Amino acid sequence: MQLNFDIDGFLRDHWQKKPRLIRNAWTRWANPLEPDELAGLACEEDVESRLIVATGVGPEALKVEAGPIPQARFGKLGKRPWTLLVNAVDHHVPEVAALIAPFRFVPDWRIDDVMVSYATEGGGVGPHFDQYDVFLVQGLGKRRWQIGAMCDGASELLPHDDLRLLANFKATDEWVLEPGDILYVPPGLAHNGIGASDDCMTYSVGFRAPARSELIAHYVDDALGRLADDDRYADPDLRRLDNPGEIPAEALDRLHAMVTETLGDRDAFVRWFGGYVSTPKYPEVDWAPEEAIEVGALRGMLADGVALVRNPASRFSFVRQGGSDVLLFVDGECFECRGETAAFAERLCAGDRVEIAPRLSGSDAALALIGTLLSQGSIAFED
Ligand code: SIN
Ligand code: CO
């Protein structure tokens, strides 16, 4: 499936700026998942899900039940509107993972996952805003989407134990989305989706944008691991001051430099960030083989020109170094790649499936990389 709208125009005028309704956005739309299959996933221990039931009128009456949802629960929901939300369905269903590919005009490191919701008529999560960009793809049935004002940390919320619902949501626009329609919602924009038919399924292709606080906290944590306890302030050039109560500018410069030199090391930052951003959110989708493949067997398979596929729960990114060298980041690990191994790393980052040129079996570096990625479960041979 491919998108048939003007992507450059979208990036210029809408991405991170304003909402956009795209009617009939696909060359050919086919709903990739049945409602029953979604309910089945919500019953599983390793899958994150929530059931939200309207127990009365208004958003305050929404009750949240955390997954896994017992299968028998679905038979007891009765006539009250409800919605089921399942996170990271792309990690479990290849047909849902395929929905991400058309949105790769945004780099992979910004993509989070695909949440899928099912709602009966009137069901929804209530008016709220998200910190992230989202494409709301209508898969099946109809949903009424309302949008409102831009919100931030100061926007008033309703008292609710489990949901961050807006207290003063006023719809400024609304549309009923049909299968194949997409609503793009930028970060901070208030929105409210209400099932407008039974069997309403919405696929949220969500993005991520690290908070400055999160970056600093995690990067500092990483830097601390690299610092020695005896790396301390020193002042062999100490001179007497008129007032011993003063902290002199030279001392402050030196102290400030101790912090900024450590945190300002761009190379260390790049290596940390690549590992951080490629760490999987749901490591439960484990492809690691029971037994490690031995080098001779691996060389033989590569020489036969096999194809490799990526674990949909794994994250792959690369950073260019000097020349053709790259740093490859996979599931939190960093690999320095040169020459044809670097070319392989780039191809691995470009697509979900890579055909191996038989001559790569002659490269010890490529063999070592592929062996490690296979044994950590990030890739597998296509069977
Ligand atoms: C939904 O699918 O009901 C919620 C998606 C969203 O509002 O982000
Ligand atoms: Co939302």
Side-chain angles (χ1 to χ4, degrees):
M1 279 185 292
Q2 284 183 332
L3 293 169
N4 64 357
F5 65 94
D6 168 18
I7 288 166
D8 292 322
F10 169 81
L11 289 175
R12 188 187 59 233
D13 300 330
H14 295 86
W15 173 254
Q16 297 244 297
K17 301 167 200 75
K18 53 185 187 189
R20 161 99 190 257
L21 172 69
I22 310 152
R23 292 270 183 214
N24 202 5
W26 306 81
T27 44
R28 185 182 51 82
W29 174 253
N31 182 44
L33 185 71
E34 292 303 316
D36 285 358
E37 295 174 289
L38 186 70
L41 280 172
C43 301
E44 285 181 28
E45 196 68 49
D46 286 348
V47 179
E48 203 173 60
S49 64
R50 283 172 300 162
L51 180 67
I52 303 179
V53 184
T55 60
V57 184
E60 295 93 330
L62 294 172
K63 286 278 170 302
V64 181
E65 298 171 31
I69 313 292
Q71 205 186 344
R73 181 74 186 101
F74 293 110
K76 297 194 187 113
L77 285 162
K79 289 253 171 291
R80 293 174 304 184
W82 58 271
T83 184
L84 172 71
L85 301 127
V86 184
N87 286 346
V89 176
D90 54 304
H91 291 15
H92 306 281
V93 184
E95 292 78 8
V96 173
L99 281 186
I100 294 177
F103 294 99
R104 288 178 81 204
F105 54 84
V106 183
D108 292 347
W109 76 267
R110 290 279 270 118
I111 296 176
D112 194 3
D113 52 35
V114 185
M115 185 196 76
V116 186
S117 70
Y118 173 92
T120 59
E121 185 147 8
V125 303
H128 66 279
F129 70 99
D130 300 306
Q131 302 280 4
Y132 310 106
D133 309 82
V134 65
F135 288 97
L136 300 158
V137 180
Q138 191 58 26
L140 189 71
K142 294 181 191 178
R143 184 185 285 271
R144 182 180 308 281
W145 278 106
Q146 304 176 316
I147 57 162
M150 285 306 270
C151 304
D152 57 27
S155 304
E156 201 188 325
L157 301 181
L158 288 173
H160 197 291
D161 288 344
D162 305 304
L163 296 170
R164 298 182 73 257
L165 298 170
L166 286 164
N168 303 308
F169 177 73
K170 280 191 193 58
T172 52
D173 238 323
E174 68 168 50
W175 308 275
V176 175
L177 269 69
E178 309 225 7
D181 293 346
I182 299 179
L183 177 64
Y184 163 73
V185 177
L189 188 79
H191 55 286
N192 187 29
I194 309 151
S197 72
D198 283 337
D199 275 352
C200 163
M201 284 181 83
T202 305
Y203 298 78
S204 300
V205 180
F207 294 81
R208 52 195 181 140
R212 192 189 296 256
S213 57
E214 166 198 344
L215 280 181
I216 294 176
H218 287 93
Y219 184 46
V220 165
D221 210 33
D222 177 77
L224 288 179
R226 288 182 273 113
L227 295 176
D229 197 41
D230 59 2
D231 176 358
R232 278 175 185 260
Y233 179 79
D235 48 5
D237 50 356
L238 185 72
R239 55 185 182 81
R240 280 197 282 162
L241 293 177
D242 294 339
N243 183 341
E246 183 186 357
I247 306 172
E250 303 92 89
L252 287 168
D253 287 346
R254 207 172 268 174
L255 290 159
H256 186 233
M258 285 174 77
V259 174
T260 55
E261 278 165 13
T262 305
L263 298 186
D265 181 339
R266 194 176 183 282
D267 194 47
F269 176 80
V270 167
R271 283 168 187 264
W272 164 77
F273 182 71
Y276 177 70
V277 84
S278 68
T279 300
K281 194 157 112 186
Y282 299 100
E284 296 84 2
V285 186
D286 189 1
W287 278 18
E290 308 243 306
E291 277 171 52
I293 179 158
E294 63 67 48
V295 186
L298 180 58
R299 197 184 293 278
M301 290 186 81
L302 298 188
D304 287 344
V306 289
L308 294 167
V309 287
R310 305 192 330 193
N311 181 336
S314 290
R315 296 189 187 274
F316 297 76
S317 286
F318 74 94
V319 173
R320 286 188 203 289
Q321 300 289 88
S324 61
D325 297 355
V326 303
L327 291 179
L328 170 70
F329 298 97
V330 184
D331 293 337
E333 301 297 327
C334 174
F335 304 91
E336 289 180 31
C337 304
R338 301 203 163 76
E340 53 188 356
T341 310
F344 163 74
E346 285 191 44
R347 284 199 294 127
L348 190 60
C349 290
D352 298 334
R353 179 180 180 278
V354 187
E355 279 180 29
I356 303 284
R359 65 179 159 71
L360 212 61
S361 67
S363 156
D364 288 343
L367 217 62
L369 173 63
I370 294 169
T372 306
L373 295 179
L374 282 166
S375 58
Q376 72 181 38
S378 306
I379 57 172
F381 289 113
E382 185 178 56
D383 54 20

